[in-house]
Amino acid sequence: MLLVIQPNKLSFCWRCSFSWAVLRLLLLKMSLYTTPRPIQRILKTYLYNLKWQCMGKPERALYNGGILGKFTTLSGNDSSPSLVLFSLTRGFKYSFSSWVKIHGADSALIRASLRTEDEAYNCIGNVVARSGCWSFLKGGFTLHSPSNRSLLSFHGSGKWNISIATAGISLQPFTDEQWRMNQDHIINKVRKRPVMIHVADEDGERLQGAEIQVKQISKEFPFGSAIAKTILGNIPYQKWFVERFNAAVFENELKWYATEPEQGKVTYAIADQMLRFVRESGVTARGHNIFWEDPKYTPSWVRNLTGLDLEMAVKARITSLLDRYKEEFVHWDVSNEMLHFDFYEQNLGPNATLEFFKTVHQSDPLATLFMNEFNVVETCSDSDSSVDKYISRLRELESGGVSMDGIGLESHFDTLNLPLMRAVIDKLATLGLPIWLTEVDISNKFDKDSQAAHLEEVLREGFSHPSVNGIMMWTALHPYGCYQMCLTDNDFRNLPTGDVVDKLLQEWKTEDLEGQADEYGSYSFFGFLGEYSVTVRESNRTAYSTFALSQGEETRHVTIHL
């Protein structure tokens, strides 16, 4: 590849004593953001862009339609239009999209499905489509076996006799290698940043040949796990946890049924001890949860309250919890799983959840308030938690005056569809709110090796998505095991899932570096975001320094004086 560098693009270097270190760093950056010609035949860039607005006209198909121009014929009828697909490949990740408009109803949930000779995929993407404009459906699938002939169909909810119009349909295949290359590209772009360390004496003269050691001492990206009271007093468990994670969430110990099992008998003894461990360890903590809309997990005495008694009880719950833990937790899952359940709104009225969010924000204004829900990224077969329903609920809260909302995706996977997972996050990202994978695990219906393989895929997908701000796993350890997936046995020997986590933690950390300042007194590297310590030695002089590497496009310059 011929690389042409325009002088005006490097004008900042002429003003700062241009060095080969600057050029090397520039080339390093460009090599991570561009692709040489031999690789361009392999790398197909995934398009994260997505239109959530309902448009007067459909836009052009992504990837110019991908493979659909060559391998499809139309069939079906107006209520269920279909595409016949030929020669789909096992293991390829197919990104699918289409513009959709309906007639016969104001709006309806439209689902795309796929049927092959051997398998049926009930949902590979969905969208709430409208009659007067075009809505964008984005999803995807991965085949478990090859297919010579498949049928991709669009379906309505069955409640109305509607017709479905489609336009701008696209199907783009990615090999595992191409998918991984796109992940690595985003990781290099949003999880890392170039650094240049300048070494100078007290008069500002650059020092050539100074020995430099760089060590990453913390990570900016929050990556953690649930913990339970089983960690209290368990030194091996605590040591294992702190060596790996910089974020924690209490599995059950903050839930209402744990802190007030009987009316008026409030206890935070266990939660206080767990919070003390969190503080001492220096990890970030999420608050989970204030209310749970599922009656099954609501205290039995609360279920027996009505009217003013229930209203007073929920106000006391918020006051008690937030007075005690204000500014201790960076997030609060305010009303858990409210797309699937509505205990409080059924009993206190349609504005109950809105009032919860408002009251919590007033009590702890610096905490980010989350909707937390399952089956949003795990599948699109659950109409209760479709991505559009999630977005609609968030907008209701915003229009009602709620601020500082966050998107919590539980991520309990018993099937795996990475193209769909990415497409859903793409759409949620259009809201511009913090997105966290809050309870990641893989179903125990899989054997341990399969659990580990699927976990690695999910974690890589989350870490590499530019709009995901943090990942929490749901792996609190108990004598009986874990909810669905453990990382270790009870003696803290890694299971295959634990090996995956350790591998990724090492991969997503800058290795310890040693080098020398060049003739211009500079040393450059490309590092993961976080905190760094630097040791510089020259002759009999030594200097120590630290710096923070946060997200940014420009090179981070650090000057150290000896």
Side-chain angles (χ1 to χ4, degrees):
M1 180 180 72
L2 178 62
L3 180 64
V4 179
I5 303 176
Q6 300 177 19
N8 63 329
K9 297 295 184 183
L10 295 174
S11 59
F12 70 93
C13 294
W14 313 138
R15 294 194 300 269
C16 64
S17 184
F18 177 79
S19 71
W20 280 108
V22 175
L23 181 57
R24 285 197 302 271
L25 190 56
L26 177 65
L27 293 175
L28 174 62
K29 290 175 65 177
M30 297 186 70
S31 70
L32 290 166
Y33 300 155
T34 61
T35 305
R37 287 192 183 277
I39 300 179
Q40 283 179 341
R41 288 193 286 269
I42 300 174
L43 176 61
K44 296 176 183 176
T45 301
Y46 177 87
L47 300 177
Y48 288 87
N49 58 306
L50 190 148
K51 298 284 188 179
W52 61 265
Q53 304 97 328
C54 208
M55 308 289 286
K57 293 181 179 180
E59 295 190 351
R60 195 170 74 176
L62 296 184
Y63 312 103
N64 293 318
I67 63 173
L68 289 187
K70 301 178 182 178
F71 302 107
T72 65
T73 57
L74 292 173
S75 64
N77 53 57
D78 287 347
S79 62
S80 183
S82 302
L83 298 171
V84 179
L85 310 176
F86 298 96
S87 302
L88 298 182
T89 304
R90 175 184 179 274
F92 275 33
K93 293 175 174 60
Y94 289 90
S95 179
F96 169 71
S97 60
S98 174
W99 289 92
V100 180
K101 183 168 71 172
I102 62 170
H103 299 281
D106 291 335
S107 66
L109 182 66
I110 303 301
R111 169 177 52 87
S113 67
L114 181 73
R115 180 176 293 276
T116 72
E117 300 95 330
D118 302 318
E119 298 175 285
Y121 300 80
N122 180 54
C123 186
I124 60 170
N126 61 30
V127 69
V128 173
R130 293 174 171 80
S131 62
C133 53
W134 292 88
S135 301
F136 192 61
L137 183 155
K138 192 178 188 185
F141 58 89
T142 302
L143 295 185
H144 301 118
S145 58
S147 173
N148 293 320
R149 181 184 174 91
S150 306
L151 187 68
L152 193 158
S153 304
F154 297 83
H155 311 271
S157 61
K159 296 180 180 179
W160 302 280
N161 182 22
I162 61 174
S163 60
I164 303 171
T166 62
I169 304 176
S170 172
L171 188 67
Q172 178 62 53
F174 295 87
T175 65
D176 286 343
E177 181 183 11
Q178 292 163 349
W179 197 262
R180 177 69 176 274
M181 291 174 70
N182 276 284
Q183 289 176 330
D184 290 343
H185 171 76
I186 295 299
I187 288 172
N188 284 326
K189 185 175 181 180
V190 303
R191 309 293 182 208
K192 301 177 77 174
R193 187 175 172 185
V195 180
M196 182 167 289
I197 296 173
H198 305 283
V199 183
D201 62 19
E202 58 186 10
D203 296 322
E205 293 294 326
R206 299 292 176 89
L207 297 177
Q208 180 181 358
E211 295 180 1
I212 298 174
Q213 295 178 322
V214 180
K215 182 179 182 65
Q216 185 174 9
I217 55 178
S218 69
K219 301 177 181 180
E220 183 178 84
F221 187 86
F223 185 86
S225 172
I227 57 174
K229 61 184 179 182
T230 51
I231 204 167
L232 297 176
N234 191 332
I235 302 304
Y237 191 3
Q238 293 178 2
K239 182 176 184 294
W240 174 87
F241 186 91
V242 173
E243 286 176 349
R244 286 162 175 79
F245 303 123
N246 60 1
V249 59
F250 300 176
E251 186 180 44
N252 298 311
E253 288 77 5
L254 276 180
K255 293 170 181 172
W256 200 355
Y257 64 72
T259 62
E260 195 175 2
E262 297 180 47
Q263 187 172 13
K265 295 183 178 180
V266 181
T267 174
Y268 295 110
I270 298 298
D272 283 349
Q273 292 178 63
M274 294 174 68
L275 185 58
R276 189 175 305 117
F277 162 72
V278 166
R279 287 196 199 111
E280 292 171 353
S281 304
V283 302
T284 297
R286 300 191 72 248
H288 175 81
N289 53 52
I290 299 177
F291 298 107
W292 199 340
E293 292 286 349
D294 188 347
K296 181 168 63 174
Y297 299 108
T298 301
S300 58
W301 64 268
V302 175
R303 295 198 300 268
N304 294 326
L305 299 178
T306 58
L308 184 59
D309 291 336
L310 178 59
E311 185 176 340
M312 292 176 63
V314 299
K315 287 181 179 179
R317 161 68 172 170
I318 296 175
T319 300
S320 173
L321 193 66
L322 273 297
D323 281 354
R324 191 175 194 88
Y325 295 122
K326 179 180 179 180
E327 299 182 1
E328 294 283 6
F329 296 95
V330 296
H331 302 162
W332 283 109
D333 293 331
V334 176
S335 196
N336 205 43
E337 298 175 353
M338 62 184 183
L339 296 183
H340 287 91
F341 309 102
D342 60 352
F343 171 80
Y344 293 100
E345 293 195 345
Q346 285 285 342
N347 289 277
L348 293 175
N351 291 325
T353 304
L354 178 64
E355 293 304 316
F356 292 168
F357 274 84
K358 285 183 176 180
T359 305
V360 174
H361 176 64
Q362 291 168 359
S363 301
D364 196 355
L366 296 181
T368 304
L369 309 186
F370 272 67
M371 273 183 61
N372 195 48
E373 194 59 69
F374 65 92
N375 280 353
V376 183
V377 293
E378 299 95 317
T379 178
C380 61
S381 297
D382 188 343
S383 59
D384 287 332
S385 53
S386 71
V387 62
D388 283 315
K389 188 169 182 179
Y390 194 110
I391 290 173
S392 177
R393 198 71 171 95
L394 272 174
R395 288 190 179 137
E396 286 179 17
L397 294 173
E398 284 184 344
S399 64
V402 171
S403 59
M404 297 182 72
D405 291 321
I407 295 171
L409 307 174
E410 291 187 13
S411 308
H412 295 291
F413 289 91
D414 57 15
T415 61
L416 201 61
N417 184 345
L418 292 184
L420 175 67
M421 176 183 176
R422 185 180 291 185
V424 169
I425 298 175
D426 289 348
K427 188 161 192 176
L428 292 170
T430 62
L431 299 176
L433 297 174
I435 299 175
W436 280 54
L437 309 185
T438 56
E439 303 180 18
V440 175
D441 64 16
I442 308 298
S443 170
N444 59 18
K445 76 176 185 180
F446 297 103
D447 62 60
K448 288 183 168 47
D449 288 335
S450 297
Q451 266 191 329
H454 293 330
L455 177 64
E456 179 170 353
E457 290 183 279
V458 169
L459 295 180
R460 286 192 184 279
E461 193 60 46
F463 187 70
S464 66
H465 198 288
S467 298
V468 171
N469 286 22
I471 297 175
M472 304 294 294
M473 292 179 292
W474 208 247
T475 54
L477 186 62
H478 301 268
Y480 62 79
C482 305
Y483 173 67
Q484 289 284 329
M485 182 189 77
C486 289
L487 301 180
T488 74
D489 62 19
N490 284 333
D491 294 319
F492 303 101
R493 291 186 295 257
N494 268 5
L495 300 171
T497 47
D499 288 338
V500 162
V501 169
D502 284 351
K503 179 181 74 171
L504 294 179
L505 287 172
Q506 187 63 34
E507 181 180 323
W508 298 336
K509 179 182 179 182
T510 305
E511 63 181 8
D512 292 352
L513 301 172
E514 293 185 0
Q516 291 185 332
D518 63 14
E519 59 185 307
Y520 297 99
S522 299
Y523 176 79
S524 59
F525 68 96
F526 201 74
F528 283 95
L529 306 182
E531 296 281 338
Y532 286 81
S533 66
V534 184
T535 303
V536 179
R537 294 184 177 89
E538 198 274 334
S539 297
N540 60 348
R541 296 175 291 181
T542 303
Y544 304 95
S545 184
T546 60
F547 68 91
L549 188 61
S550 55
Q551 190 168 356
E553 293 290 333
E554 298 179 348
T555 299
R556 174 77 159 90
H557 290 267
V558 178
T559 299
I560 299 176
H561 289 93
L562 279 169

